[in-house]
Amino acid sequence: MLEDNDIGVVKMLSSCGLLKTCNCEMKRKRKKVKLANKTDLKKIYEKYATLDVEGGKCMSDVDFFVKFLCWLPENGHNKRTLEMFRNSFENKNYLTLEEFEQFEEQASSVDILYRLPFHIFSKGSPEGLSYTDFVRTLENTNLKCDVEADFIQFYFGKDCSKLVQLSEFPQFLKDLSAESAKSAFKACDIENSGYISAENFCKIILCINQALPEPVKESIQEMTCNCKMLGGLESGYDVHRVSFGHFSAFNNILKNIDTIKIVYLAICGGNKKVEVSKEDFMSQSQIMTSLTPLEVDILFKLCSLFHEKGLSGPWRGSLPVDWRVVEDVEIADHQCQITFSDLEVISPTARSDRSDEVEEKDSLVNVQQLTSNQYQVIQLLESFYRFTLGSVAGAVGATTVYPVDLVKTRMQNQRTSSYLSETLYKNSWDCFRKVLNHEGFLGLYRGLLPQLVGVSPEKAIKLTMNDLVRGNLKDEMTGNLPLWGEIIAGGCAGASQVMFTNPLEIVKIRLQVAGEISSGSKVSALKVVKDLGLAGLYKGSAACFLRDIPFSGIFFPAYAHFKDYFADSSGQNSPLSLLTAGGLAGIPAAFLVTPADVIKTRLQVKARHNQTSYLGVRDAASKIYGEEGIRAFWKGSVARMCRSSPQFGVTLLAYELLQKVFYVDFSKPGRQDSISHSCKPHADHIGGFRVASSILPDMEKKLGLVFHKHDN
């Protein structure tokens, strides 16, 4: 029976996506791999088939494994590995169309991650894996094992006549990985002293954990040069020596990083940015796992090295590799604490499971297959793409809340000086009611047309600039963006829009307040533009800068964090969560910049008879304060929050949804995983073959099994 505390931990881990429950509802929601159409499969098969077999074209082993699946490089691939792949399919050098279709169907099975290596090791034998086939196949992998060890006898029997079946093969691979580490240590410990050199330690760890990201490999190599960081050194030796205990603990940390993530999330309640001390982590790990104090100590030492190298922690992305000197106390405090980003350096969380990944929407443009020159053109198209989506999203958001914007403008323009006694509207609701009664429903949308004309480039530039600056300030290694980078990106976005915002605002405002005057002449947008002239369109631009830069500097970082907070366990946001994130982010941003908005409105509205006129920002601020008091600067703040908050919520919701509907992947071509050279889905990988293309990298990362790809 689970206690109440245990149930709470289970629910929290389930919400974070690290603990999968097995209820029927979740099973129904799980996406299945959709098999490809037979006609499409035949076209792809004929496209890659180059081998003449009995008067027809068939796929050769090179066509299938090298050119189609991209499991091996085209130039200099390991022929022994290709032979092993070929032997797992009836030991012939070609693949028929029927076998091609069968492979696509088998690749979609849930146990393909273990079924495929089993067929490779056993050469496709339905009876099971023999000792002879195991030894021959093992020679062409990164794993090494003493073939006379007890481990071998446990699985193959004393006389090695027993066959390993598919059902026990996953456990066999797990035990093989552990036995391989022991065998490698024993081979390097020539004196049987229980120690190996730091250099050999590094070689073994990197050999049996080849899926580690490059920054982690570099950090491990650096640790071998640091006695205190590596630990377990025997005094009296000139060469750094590592004990088997430290070696085993270090390897266990790398193998069980997902379990460590679960412990971290249990401590911080799912918040990935909470700093956790070694003491808290050790206490929780003893409750939930079998992690030892030595393993925890090594984990924190490794994470502290990530901090020093700027890979994670408070200085992420801001330090050179050779950085070492900061305030001693400050670095010591942060070295004693870890966050989720530290664990992500060791093992980045995949975007989704393979079964979900195949359901992702295909990009409208396959950027990954472009050349460098073509990609430069695509970069220009990316700006146009974001500009167009931002224009449409901005128009949708502006139209939705325009009546509130009109009420806000009229409230801010209302003068309350003692000698004028001008109180046309009591409050925002009274203003809304009077506009509706005296000017009709269309009066609420007075000045909408120039707003739509201007809001498209305004919102497009703002959203595009924010995306571009965020992309340039992100750490290329981890993809993280510090808070200061988010604020700078937002501020740049706000500043970039003023060239469109100011003319739009002054025309819109003059049209919005025109309904207050009973006049025979009708005010149009063209007439306002003609009266103002080019220079007049930028009247009040200084106040516009004072409003838009801090607004965007507050809004975009708040929106990004609210969006992360409301995301589900897979990191995805529903339309409601996007709308909520945008709405909540707009509240503080809109309220805090209201004084600048009031000054801008007063500067841009044409002063009527007996009304105070203003010469600039400083003059307006001084006169408003002197005549109306400090409260005048906050006029329309409620209406502004009611307008800006939902407007940006709707705008960003539309922008995100448009990006999903018209999805284009603009990530740079040529960026490859640290292990697999090019095992990524392409246009011809349809149905189960999208899963098949990622099987080899998954075997390397999850099973630690790496087949030799290049000829030595």
Side-chain angles (χ1 to χ4, degrees):
M1 294 293 289
L2 289 173
E3 301 293 339
D4 291 342
N5 292 339
D6 297 329
I7 295 175
V9 171
V10 170
K11 289 181 178 179
M12 184 277 297
L13 294 177
S14 298
S15 67
C16 295
L18 288 177
L19 187 62
K20 306 296 183 184
T21 55
C22 298
N23 54 57
C24 296
E25 180 180 1
M26 289 193 68
K27 286 184 178 180
R28 287 196 300 268
K29 289 182 179 180
R30 182 175 178 82
K31 296 179 181 178
K32 293 184 178 180
V33 177
K34 185 178 180 180
L35 296 179
N37 182 277
K38 298 293 185 181
T39 303
D40 295 335
L41 282 177
K42 183 177 180 181
K43 291 180 180 179
I44 294 174
Y45 177 83
E46 293 174 348
K47 176 181 177 181
Y48 286 88
T50 62
L51 186 65
D52 291 321
V53 178
E54 298 179 359
K57 293 288 186 180
C58 289
M59 264 191 178
S60 68
D61 51 0
V62 175
D63 294 335
F64 184 64
F65 294 108
V66 178
K67 296 180 179 179
F68 177 65
L69 286 180
C70 304
W71 282 2
L72 297 172
E74 288 196 38
N75 298 321
H77 59 262
N78 190 294
K79 293 180 175 55
R80 170 65 179 141
T81 301
L82 179 62
E83 181 186 353
M84 291 193 305
F85 291 164
R86 181 180 66 230
N87 290 343
S88 63
F89 298 98
E90 299 186 10
N91 193 21
K92 57 185 181 184
N93 65 340
Y94 65 91
L95 202 70
T96 65
L97 175 60
E98 182 180 357
E99 292 169 336
F100 183 74
E101 294 173 347
Q102 290 176 353
F103 185 91
E104 187 253 349
E105 183 176 354
Q106 293 174 359
S108 63
S109 62
V110 294
D111 63 343
I112 187 62
L113 184 62
Y114 294 100
R115 184 180 294 272
L116 179 64
F118 177 77
H119 282 303
I120 294 175
F121 270 89
S122 64
K123 296 184 178 181
S125 172
E127 298 178 357
L129 171 62
S130 68
Y131 171 79
T132 303
D133 289 338
F134 162 71
V135 173
R136 290 177 179 176
T137 306
L138 189 67
E139 293 175 352
N140 217 48
T141 70
N142 65 315
L143 300 180
K144 306 301 176 184
C145 178
D146 183 0
V147 293
E148 297 181 358
D150 292 339
F151 161 79
I152 297 297
Q153 295 186 14
F154 291 154
Y155 277 97
F156 293 101
K158 185 176 181 180
D159 57 355
C160 297
S161 60
K162 180 179 176 295
L163 299 178
V164 176
Q165 303 300 318
L166 174 61
S167 58
E168 57 183 341
F169 185 73
Q171 187 62 45
F172 172 78
L173 276 184
K174 182 178 179 181
D175 295 340
L176 173 62
S177 178
E179 186 66 26
S180 176
K182 294 178 183 178
S183 298
F185 185 95
K186 183 178 181 181
C188 294
D189 183 15
I190 301 176
E191 299 177 356
N192 294 326
S193 62
Y195 288 88
I196 59 175
S197 69
E199 182 181 359
N200 285 332
F201 162 81
C202 182
K203 289 180 179 179
I204 296 173
I205 289 294
L206 297 184
C207 179
I208 62 180
N209 296 281
Q210 293 190 26
L212 291 173
E214 288 301 323
V216 179
K217 293 181 179 179
E218 294 173 2
S219 299
I220 293 175
Q221 290 172 341
E222 186 170 339
M223 288 182 71
T224 60
C225 302
N226 190 322
C227 303
K228 295 181 179 179
M229 290 291 288
L230 193 58
L233 305 179
E234 186 180 16
S235 59
Y237 284 84
D238 295 332
V239 181
H240 300 167
R241 287 155 54 94
V242 184
S243 69
F244 179 77
H246 279 78
F247 166 81
S248 178
F250 200 104
N251 192 42
N252 288 342
I253 286 294
L254 301 179
K255 296 290 186 184
N256 297 296
I257 192 65
D258 288 336
T259 301
I260 293 172
K261 289 181 179 180
I262 293 177
V263 175
Y264 171 87
L265 291 171
I267 297 172
C268 61
N271 188 340
K272 298 181 179 180
K273 296 185 179 180
V274 173
E275 293 183 335
V276 176
S277 67
K278 184 192 296 187
E279 291 73 18
D280 291 339
F281 190 91
M282 189 172 297
S283 176
Q284 187 68 33
S285 65
Q286 291 177 355
I287 298 174
M288 299 181 61
T289 70
S290 58
L291 289 175
T292 65
L294 178 58
E295 292 171 344
V296 174
D297 183 63
I298 291 175
L299 171 67
F300 274 75
K301 286 181 178 179
L302 187 59
C303 290
S304 70
L305 186 58
F306 296 160
H307 292 182
E308 291 185 13
K309 293 170 68 66
L311 300 175
S312 60
W315 302 281
R316 177 170 53 247
S318 60
L319 299 173
V321 174
D322 59 352
W323 172 88
R324 286 295 178 271
V325 182
V326 294
E327 294 292 336
D328 291 338
V329 176
E330 184 179 4
I331 185 67
D333 290 341
H334 284 288
Q335 283 180 335
C336 294
Q337 297 177 327
I338 64 172
T339 63
F340 197 80
S341 65
D342 298 323
L343 308 180
E344 287 285 273
V345 174
I346 302 175
S347 177
T349 300
R351 284 172 52 189
S352 60
D353 293 330
R354 289 184 296 111
S355 57
D356 294 335
E357 183 179 331
V358 297
E359 296 295 329
E360 291 179 359
K361 189 175 182 64
D362 290 334
S363 173
L364 298 178
V365 178
N366 195 344
V367 179
Q368 298 301 322
Q369 294 185 352
L370 299 178
T371 63
S372 299
N373 292 334
Q374 291 173 324
Y375 185 70
Q376 292 176 357
V377 177
I378 288 296
Q379 285 180 306
L380 297 177
L381 293 179
E382 177 184 3
S383 299
F384 177 76
Y385 164 82
R386 298 190 186 282
F387 185 90
T388 304
L389 297 191
S391 299
V392 177
V396 173
T399 304
T400 304
V401 299
Y402 192 81
V404 182
D405 184 58
L406 182 137
V407 171
K408 183 269 304 179
T409 299
R410 294 196 176 184
M411 289 298 299
Q412 289 182 338
N413 186 52
Q414 181 167 262
R415 320 295 171 96
T416 57
S417 57
S418 58
Y419 57 87
L420 286 177
S421 300
E422 182 182 348
T423 54
L424 184 58
Y425 310 116
K426 296 178 182 179
N427 50 47
S428 298
W429 174 250
D430 182 58
C431 176
F432 177 83
R433 184 175 54 83
K434 287 181 177 179
V435 172
L436 193 61
N437 291 338
H438 293 92
E439 304 174 48
F441 178 77
L442 294 180
L444 294 171
Y445 287 90
R446 184 185 295 271
L448 175 62
L449 182 58
Q451 171 79 348
L452 294 181
V453 172
V455 77
S456 294
E458 173 210 336
K459 291 296 186 289
I461 284 180
K462 175 185 281 190
L463 295 171
T464 301
M465 181 61 70
N466 180 66
D467 281 351
L468 290 178
V469 177
R470 287 176 68 94
N472 289 327
L473 294 180
K474 276 184 178 180
D475 177 68
E476 295 183 359
M477 195 76 69
T478 63
N480 294 307
L481 181 69
L483 179 60
W484 61 265
E486 296 184 57
I487 296 174
I488 290 177
C492 290
S496 66
Q497 72 172 24
V498 172
M499 64 178 295
F500 289 97
T501 301
N502 210 82
L504 156 72
E505 290 279 332
I506 194 168
V507 174
K508 179 196 71 173
I509 286 173
R510 294 202 174 188
L511 289 175
Q512 286 178 332
V513 301
E516 297 177 333
I517 306 173
S518 300
S519 173
S521 61
K522 184 178 180 181
V523 180
S524 66
L526 291 177
K527 186 177 185 302
V528 172
V529 173
K530 184 177 179 180
D531 292 342
L532 286 170
L534 181 61
L537 288 174
Y538 286 92
K539 185 178 181 180
S541 58
C544 201
F545 274 110
L546 288 177
R547 180 197 65 175
D548 290 347
I549 292 177
F551 178 91
S552 298
I554 296 170
F555 176 81
F556 282 107
Y559 172 72
H561 288 277
F562 275 125
K563 191 172 74 168
D564 288 343
Y565 180 80
F566 290 119
D568 59 22
S569 59
S570 63
Q572 302 298 315
N573 287 91
S574 65
L576 179 60
S577 70
L578 292 173
L579 184 63
T580 304
L584 292 177
I587 293 175
F591 179 78
L592 293 175
V593 300
T594 299
D597 194 46
V598 171
I599 294 174
K600 181 195 68 68
T601 300
R602 296 291 181 89
L603 287 171
Q604 293 181 336
V605 171
K606 186 176 181 179
R608 301 172 194 158
H609 181 64
N610 291 331
Q611 282 188 336
T612 304
S613 59
Y614 309 105
L615 301 177
V617 174
R618 184 176 298 179
D619 180 62
S622 176
K623 289 179 178 178
I624 293 173
Y625 178 75
E627 295 176 3
E628 305 174 54
I630 192 68
R631 295 185 64 181
F633 289 105
W634 302 97
K635 281 185 177 181
S637 57
V638 175
R640 178 169 170 77
M641 285 188 294
C642 293
R643 189 268 293 179
S644 297
S645 178
Q647 177 184 1
F648 277 89
V650 172
T651 299
L652 286 166
L653 169 62
Y655 185 68
E656 301 260 4
L657 293 180
L658 286 170
Q659 282 186 314
K660 290 182 179 180
V661 174
F662 303 101
Y663 171 67
V664 178
D665 181 9
F666 286 106
S667 58
K668 292 182 179 180
R671 182 174 296 178
Q672 301 171 352
D673 292 341
S674 59
I675 302 286
S676 296
H677 59 286
S678 60
C679 294
K680 290 184 178 295
H682 55 67
D684 292 332
H685 289 165
I686 59 177
F689 284 119
R690 285 184 62 85
V691 179
S693 65
S694 64
I695 291 177
L696 214 60
D698 284 352
M699 287 167 51
E700 296 166 351
K701 181 177 180 180
K702 298 177 181 179
L703 306 181
L705 177 62
V706 181
F707 290 98
H708 298 328
K709 298 183 180 63
H710 299 273
D711 273 333
N712 296 327

